[in-house]
Amino acid sequence: MLFLFFFLIALAVAAYGVEWLIEQPGSLTLEFAGRHIETSIPVAVAGLLLLIAATILVWAILVALVRLPGRISGGSRERRKARGLDVLSQGLVAVGAGDVARARKAAQLAEKLLPEEPLTQLLVAQAAQLSGDPNASAKAFHKMTLKPETKLLGLRGLHVEAKRREDADAAHHFAAAAQAIAPLPWAGAAVLEHLAATGDWEKAREALEKSVTAKAIDLPTAQRYRAVIETAMAMAREGEHPHDALHLARQALKRRPGFVPAAVTAARVLIRHGDQKQAIKLVEGVFASAPHPDLAEVYAEALPGESNSQRAARVEKLVKLAPQAPEGRHALAQAALAGRDFAKAREALKPLIAEGRHPTAHTCLLMAEIEDAENGPSGPVREWLARGSRAPRDPAWIADGVVSRHWLPISPTTGRLDAFEWKTPPHSASPVAGEGRPNNPSAFLAPPARTAELEPAATPAAE
């Protein structure tokens, strides 16, 4: 509205000026090249305006003619770009749908239409991955690394390809290169896992702290990883540097209260150096909230010079800290059995085999062992063995389908940090025969060899 107001004012002023100019008397005389031209002022002004208009028109025509080829080619480029973007869209949809033929065709056409478009190389790489051509996908990802705007994407793709062909060094190289550019979560995790897999725990801890500083990892996860790394360092230094190992294990327990591997490591160091009271106190504190067979085992062996009855009495104290936990009752039954106190051994397992309960394989095997030690081979022994073969399995350390006798800081199959969990093995997992906790019904009669640390998951034979 304001613009229209000023425009009307300007138009009125111009009209008034033209009218004033026409009303003025006088003439304009021009002598040029022997010619004498005389005209009135209004006519002269009109002629000047016409000349200016003609000049502007001619200039516009010349400019349009000069720009015409560029406009024609620009329109062609726009149409080419629009078609290329449409092909890219169709190709990415085909990749998502798993249509190999359509994805490869779209990738080839996109390379012709939009060779410099970053998404083109991504489509080429994904189409190659979908069709199982790692060389073509690696080539496409390498092209991405040559441009600053797509370098990180290219490094991520090369890292994935290296992981697929199980080239750990190359995968680490690409992850480290990406981490040097930007603190990305995937790159930090990859670098951390590689350092952990090689056992370089000091550098692994440094890499973790860098990720935390860059806020590429949340604090709860960082605390769990710190505890795992410190426990692994403590286990590695347990023999030669016990003081460092004890400090690291206690620090891991502070970060992750109730973390059994750290507690067991600290207790072992304390027992080995004669501080059994501190070890017992530490185990009791952790066992009350996180009962575990490893804790019960190190607790039972804390005082090697005591008698079997004294050991059983001490383990009974541990059971009172977690009365419902099977781990403590198993340890008490084993200690009582070692002292041939069959009544106490049976009493320890009584709540686990009460009516309505489903005793685990370990409980059944302990009952079979008690019957065998007290009465010799008999019907009850065979009955408990039969029940043990069908009983629910006992918890174990499990990571990515692998069951381990002992806790490990990383998964042996994927290299994932903090992968092992204490839980009941799935039906597809292979049986584990851990020290003192056999899952094989005949294990207590014929103890298995302790050569293999890990057992991969496998489908058990049908009963």
Side-chain angles (χ1 to χ4, degrees):
M1 182 64 70
L2 189 63
F3 172 77
L4 180 61
F5 174 74
F6 283 111
F7 175 75
L8 292 175
I9 291 177
L11 187 62
V13 171
Y16 176 78
V18 171
E19 182 183 359
W20 176 82
L21 187 62
I22 292 173
E23 291 178 352
Q24 297 305 313
S27 62
L28 181 66
T29 303
L30 176 65
E31 292 186 3
F32 179 73
R35 293 188 178 185
H36 180 82
I37 301 174
E38 184 176 353
T39 183
S40 64
I41 290 178
V43 173
V45 171
L48 180 62
L49 292 176
L50 288 174
L51 180 62
I52 294 173
T55 302
I56 293 174
L57 179 62
V58 170
W59 178 256
I61 292 172
L62 290 175
V63 170
L65 290 174
V66 170
R67 293 181 177 178
L68 183 60
R71 290 184 177 181
I72 294 174
S73 62
S76 177
R77 283 196 302 269
E78 289 298 323
R79 289 191 296 272
R80 185 185 183 92
K81 183 177 181 181
R83 187 186 176 196
L85 291 175
D86 184 57
V87 170
L88 277 175
S89 177
Q90 294 177 10
L92 292 174
V93 170
V95 169
D99 190 340
V100 180
R102 188 179 174 189
R104 293 184 64 178
K105 183 178 179 181
Q108 293 172 357
L109 187 56
E111 279 193 301
K112 294 178 181 179
L113 296 173
L114 298 174
E116 301 300 322
E117 178 68 31
L119 284 177
T120 299
Q121 295 305 319
L122 177 61
L123 176 59
V124 171
Q126 290 188 335
Q129 287 178 333
L130 193 62
S131 59
D133 189 352
N135 293 329
S137 62
K139 184 179 179 181
F141 284 126
H142 176 70
K143 286 184 179 179
M144 293 185 196
T145 62
L146 303 179
K147 295 182 179 181
E149 62 270 19
T150 58
K151 187 171 184 178
L152 286 173
L153 180 58
L155 289 172
R156 176 69 185 275
L158 291 172
H159 170 77
V160 171
E161 289 297 327
K163 292 278 284 185
R164 286 182 177 177
R165 64 175 182 269
E166 297 183 353
D167 189 344
D169 292 335
H172 173 63
H173 169 75
F174 296 128
Q179 183 74 351
I181 298 173
L184 300 172
W186 72 265
V191 170
L192 179 60
E193 287 182 359
H194 176 80
L195 294 172
T198 58
D200 195 342
W201 297 111
E202 285 289 355
K203 289 186 178 179
R205 184 156 66 168
E206 292 176 5
L208 175 60
E209 295 306 323
K210 287 181 181 178
S211 295
V212 173
T213 302
K215 297 183 179 179
I217 185 172
D218 60 275
L219 288 179
T221 303
Q223 285 293 79
R224 289 193 298 105
Y225 284 173
R226 283 169 176 154
V228 170
I229 291 173
E230 287 163 354
T231 301
M233 294 173 69
M235 293 169 66
R237 300 180 185 183
E238 188 176 339
E240 297 182 0
H241 305 283
H243 294 292
D244 291 346
L246 182 60
H247 172 72
L248 287 165
R250 282 177 167 170
Q251 193 167 331
L253 274 174
K254 289 180 181 179
R255 299 186 190 279
R256 194 170 173 178
F259 190 41
V260 172
V264 170
T265 302
R268 279 202 307 261
V269 173
L270 289 168
I271 292 170
R272 189 174 301 169
H273 291 81
D275 199 349
Q276 287 87 354
K277 290 184 178 180
Q278 281 294 326
I280 290 172
K281 183 178 180 181
L282 186 149
V283 171
E284 289 175 349
V286 177
F287 192 88
S289 58
H292 195 279
D294 291 348
L295 290 171
E297 182 179 349
V298 74
Y299 186 85
E301 297 175 357
L303 300 174
E306 65 185 354
S307 64
N308 289 327
S309 60
Q310 290 174 327
R311 179 176 300 169
R314 190 162 51 81
V315 174
E316 199 168 3
K317 179 182 177 183
L318 190 68
V319 174
K320 292 179 181 179
L321 296 174
Q324 304 301 322
E327 293 82 3
R329 294 191 171 277
H330 288 163
L332 178 57
Q334 287 173 329
L337 185 59
R340 300 190 66 80
D341 189 344
F342 304 120
K344 178 173 284 190
R346 291 176 186 277
E347 186 65 24
L349 298 179
K350 186 176 180 180
L352 304 180
I353 61 174
E355 186 176 354
R357 298 293 299 271
H358 298 283
T360 63
H362 188 201
T363 302
C364 294
L365 296 177
L366 280 174
M367 286 300 300
E369 192 170 357
I370 293 170
E371 290 288 349
D372 183 69
E374 185 176 12
N375 304 315
S378 59
V381 174
R382 291 189 292 273
E383 180 183 348
W384 281 113
L385 285 176
R387 288 186 65 178
S389 66
R390 300 186 299 269
R393 302 184 63 179
D394 293 273
W397 290 112
I398 303 176
D400 301 322
V402 173
V403 180
S404 173
R405 290 189 180 91
H406 304 290
W407 174 86
L408 296 173
I410 62 172
S411 168
T413 55
T414 63
R416 186 163 54 94
L417 192 67
D418 192 26
F420 276 95
E421 297 179 82
W422 181 257
K423 61 183 182 180
T424 302
H427 293 296
S428 60
S430 61
V432 175
E435 303 105 61
R437 301 188 305 280
N439 273 339
N440 187 332
S442 60
F444 83 97
L445 297 177
R450 295 174 56 185
T451 55
E453 177 69 25
L454 302 173
E455 299 183 19
T459 304
E463 295 180 4

